[in-house]
Amino acid sequence: MASSISIILSSFIFLFSASSAVSYTIQDQFYQCITLHSDRSIPFSTAFFTPTSNATSFNSILKSTAQNLRCLAPSQPKPLLIFTALSESNVQAAVICAKELKLQLRVRSGGHDYEGISYTSEMKRSMPFILLDLAKLRAIKVDIEDNSAWVQAGATIGEVYYRIAEKSKTHGYPAGLCTSLGIGGHITGGAYGPMMRKYGLGADNVVDARIVDATGRVLDRALMGEDLFWAIRGGGGGSFGILLAWKIRLVPVPSTVTVFTVPKTLETGATKILNKWQHVANKIDEDLFIRVLITTASSTKNGKKTVQTAYQALFLGKTDRLLHVMNHSFPELGLTRKNCVEMSWIESVIYIAGYPSSIKPEFLLQGKSLFPPVNFKAKSDFLRVPVPETGLEGMWKKFLEEDSPMMIWNPYGGMMGKISESSIPFPHRKGVICKIQYLTSWIEGDKKYADKHINWIRGLYEYMGTFVSKFPREAYVNYRDLDLGMNRNANSNFLEASVWGKKYFKNNYDRLVLVKTKVDPDNFFWHEQSLPILPFKVGKEGKSLIH
């Protein structure tokens, strides 16, 4: 009887508050609505944060996982409220209440999105928005006998790696190199990593999922259907629903793997070696992943700046076989036994992430990065034809003009070239030599400094247009780049969004829009680069006028 009275009273309070803008703020109304629609009571002080009632906690939570300080500038619109979900029903309630109160909902699982669209807004006149933070939904259940694991969206990829290794020294998962990535958003864009040449992407190795759709329902693979299950594995986050959990397929790893890092500067043959790398990196043994980290360094000859290329590798095997592979396919690097370090797969995760050798795998359970957030801007390209040496020399010239530049060239080939471009929405497959990531970072928060660095990276990107993929010039959706174009409001159209949609998804863009229109016809889930809906209904079979 008492519980029934409580429900009736809660309903009355909510209905009254919704019609009384003077007495009740939007935050009050949202809290009361969430309480009404959740399956258990929610502690206000640990789940709801506003910039007025508890500003210190609000700012702390807002910044807690944000990696790009540029997205937290005072001029950036901030959420009216941060709601930290404690259960799946809280996520369902957040969808229902945001719709009832006509609020936009932004969802954050890890906070690594490069343009910060999960926790801020580039739409200066957009409707008020609520931030739904999934950081406390981080349960991980590993089933070694089934070669699988269920992982909630707020868990970091480092935590996932650790929990797998805790159960088995010969199982792993082929996903990201940055261990503080939230797995929820990570897989929605594809999730590449150092085992992708052997096993494909993280998204290629997903067997089930749980999401909340635009009506507030929880759907698994069987309930959502194969079209939506296809779309969420690489179709970008924030367009189809809220990812609650992934069921991932584990892959075999050797008990001993080998890593190395070999630096080469311009003075020690960097140009010719990178030229050769382009011809072999995607054709070499698929157990070997060699990425190139390009930065500036002090020259040993004249004390001025030079370019340093560091060849960092993971090999799924021992040193003897690695040396045989390298001597046969890439002797120009000059790899020797003393460059190689044998270790367990989980230790290689620490190594590839760039952490000091003193860091133990247990650090991954903290779900954080050792590196502090900075202001940065990034872009991406895909290379299908090697850049000639003259092109590399021009690239070096531009590179040396910037204070803290970085490029990362990640090799493709192997399994990445064997999986169809339409298998999942991630289309960058056969024929890709490597993905190039461009980065520049700065400490100063002043706009003039930001403009200086952003103009530099745009100039480098323009220069590289001669050499990279064309029609479309491909880009990686998890390195979101609003320079490619953006929605100005919730009413973006198919042609406008195709400007960046084709770069991210190529021919998969059309099918993604059909799925979006079918599962979210009112376009509840939208942001600066969300997929648009078509101006007509899509049937159960996903058919439409688009061909």
Side-chain angles (χ1 to χ4, degrees):
M1 181 67 177
S3 61
S4 298
I5 293 173
S6 175
I7 291 173
I8 294 170
L9 182 60
S10 296
S11 301
F12 173 77
I13 291 173
F14 171 69
L15 291 171
F16 177 75
S17 66
S19 63
S20 179
V22 175
S23 301
Y24 292 89
T25 64
I26 290 178
Q27 291 94 329
D28 292 331
Q29 295 174 48
F30 188 77
Y31 172 68
Q32 290 157 8
C33 182
I34 291 288
T35 302
L36 181 65
H37 289 283
S38 291
D39 60 0
R40 65 189 70 176
S41 62
I42 305 172
F44 184 91
S45 61
T46 57
F48 292 84
F49 305 89
T50 71
T52 52
S53 63
N54 44 8
T56 301
S57 296
F58 176 87
N59 289 325
S60 177
I61 296 295
L62 182 64
K63 297 175 181 178
S64 59
T65 59
Q67 296 298 303
N68 193 348
L69 296 180
R70 178 171 63 87
C71 303
L72 293 173
S75 60
Q76 291 293 106
K78 305 298 189 298
L80 286 176
L81 175 147
I82 300 172
F83 174 39
T84 302
L86 305 176
S87 68
E88 288 190 352
S89 75
N90 289 170
V91 179
Q92 293 176 271
V95 170
I96 293 168
C97 295
K99 292 180 78 171
E100 287 188 7
L101 296 171
K102 293 181 170 54
L103 296 168
Q104 194 193 9
L105 195 62
R106 301 221 166 193
V107 185
R108 180 173 72 180
S109 63
H112 276 246
D113 49 330
Y114 279 16
E115 299 283 12
I117 59 175
S118 66
Y119 53 88
T120 183
S121 173
E122 284 290 337
M123 299 176 182
K124 305 302 183 186
R125 297 182 181 178
S126 66
M127 66 169 66
F129 67 95
I130 299 290
L131 167 57
L132 175 62
D133 196 317
L134 304 180
K136 292 189 177 179
L137 298 181
R138 57 197 317 131
I140 301 168
K141 184 180 179 181
V142 178
D143 186 341
I144 293 299
E145 289 186 5
D146 188 50
N147 289 311
S148 68
W150 270 106
V151 185
Q152 284 191 305
T156 64
I157 194 65
E159 290 176 277
V160 176
Y161 291 156
Y162 183 87
R163 293 305 183 195
I164 295 170
E166 187 178 43
K167 291 287 185 72
S168 169
K169 305 306 179 188
T170 55
H171 285 76
Y173 181 61
L177 303 91
C178 185
T179 61
S180 55
L181 282 163
I183 197 167
H186 182 42
I187 293 177
T188 62
Y192 79 91
M195 293 200 293
M196 68 180 186
R197 301 190 66 250
K198 179 72 171 182
Y199 297 116
L201 305 171
D204 293 322
N205 291 276
V206 167
V207 295
D208 205 341
R210 291 175 64 80
I211 68 167
V212 174
D213 74 358
T215 68
R217 297 176 301 166
V218 174
L219 308 174
D220 62 8
R221 179 175 183 174
L223 288 173
M224 75 178 78
E226 289 304 300
D227 279 349
L228 182 52
F229 185 62
W230 172 84
I232 61 176
R233 292 173 296 148
S239 287
F240 305 102
I242 301 174
L243 213 298
L244 294 172
W246 298 106
K247 185 179 183 182
I248 59 175
R249 179 192 303 114
L250 307 185
V251 301
V253 296
S255 57
T256 301
V257 302
T258 307
V259 298
F260 67 77
T261 302
V262 175
K264 297 291 181 180
T265 63
L266 295 183
E267 294 78 9
T268 55
T271 305
K272 289 189 177 300
I273 294 172
L274 184 58
N275 183 51
K276 180 58 185 289
W277 177 91
Q278 294 179 88
H279 289 83
V280 302
N282 65 329
K283 300 180 182 69
I284 207 164
D285 191 307
E286 64 183 21
D287 284 337
L288 179 56
F289 173 91
I290 312 174
R291 66 172 181 165
V292 190
L293 307 173
I294 306 175
T295 56
T296 56
S298 296
S299 172
T300 56
K301 291 187 176 180
N302 53 24
K304 296 182 179 180
K305 278 202 308 185
T306 188
V307 175
Q308 176 175 281
T309 59
Y311 293 81
Q312 185 187 67
L314 169 67
F315 180 66
L316 299 175
K318 295 185 177 182
T319 302
D320 287 344
R321 189 164 74 86
L322 169 61
L323 290 173
H324 174 77
V325 169
M326 289 294 289
N327 289 335
H328 177 265
S329 300
F330 193 19
E332 291 82 359
L333 187 62
L335 184 71
T336 65
R337 188 174 293 275
K338 70 177 183 179
N339 299 132
C340 303
V341 183
E342 293 184 347
M343 57 182 60
S344 66
W345 171 73
I346 193 64
E347 289 171 332
S348 78
V349 167
I350 298 288
Y351 179 91
I352 296 291
Y355 297 143
S357 58
S358 58
I359 296 293
K360 301 302 180 186
E362 286 72 21
F363 168 77
L364 300 174
L365 294 177
Q366 296 182 25
K368 297 179 180 179
S369 172
L370 273 181
F371 312 116
V374 294
N375 298 284
F376 72 86
K377 175 67 180 176
K379 289 179 170 291
S380 62
D381 264 320
F382 286 85
L383 196 65
R384 292 179 175 272
V385 178
V387 180
E389 287 191 22
T390 54
L392 294 176
E393 288 165 355
M395 185 178 75
W396 303 144
K397 184 177 179 181
K398 284 200 161 293
F399 204 70
L400 290 168
E401 294 171 356
E402 176 64 347
D403 299 332
S404 299
M406 187 174 193
M407 281 193 288
I408 305 174
W409 293 32
N410 289 288
Y412 275 52
M415 182 58 72
M416 290 299 293
K418 299 173 186 176
I419 298 173
S420 165
E421 287 193 356
S422 60
S423 173
I424 63 172
F426 182 97
H428 320 289
R429 302 287 189 172
K430 187 175 181 180
V432 173
I433 294 173
C434 69
K435 175 173 75 248
I436 301 176
Q437 179 178 188
Y438 312 92
L439 285 158
T440 181
S441 61
W442 60 97
I443 302 298
E444 306 89 346
D446 194 285
K447 185 178 183 299
K448 69 176 182 180
Y449 287 104
D451 289 345
K452 171 181 177 288
H453 298 294
I454 291 172
N455 287 337
W456 172 82
I457 200 169
R458 287 171 177 166
L460 177 61
Y461 183 77
E462 182 180 4
Y463 170 80
M464 292 296 290
T466 302
F467 309 108
V468 296
S469 62
K470 298 174 179 65
F471 312 114
R473 182 173 182 178
E474 300 168 59
Y476 179 41
V477 69
N478 266 6
Y479 293 160
R480 284 207 185 272
D481 180 6
L482 295 183
D483 287 352
L484 303 180
M486 59 183 279
N487 301 318
R488 296 297 170 181
N489 52 53
N491 299 314
S492 61
N493 66 51
F494 178 87
L495 290 177
E496 289 173 343
S498 69
V499 173
W500 65 86
K502 292 286 187 178
K503 294 178 186 294
Y504 291 144
F505 307 117
K506 298 179 67 177
N507 292 333
N508 294 329
Y509 172 72
D510 293 7
R511 182 180 173 189
L512 284 168
V513 174
L514 290 176
V515 176
K516 166 70 172 178
T517 305
K518 184 170 68 170
V519 303
D520 186 17
D522 297 323
N523 202 19
F524 174 72
F525 294 110
W526 64 274
H527 55 69
E528 286 78 354
Q529 285 189 343
S530 59
L531 290 159
I533 57 171
L534 298 171
F536 43 80
K537 291 184 178 180
V538 174
K540 291 182 179 180
E541 295 79 22
K543 294 178 180 178
S544 77
L545 300 179
I546 297 294
H547 296 287

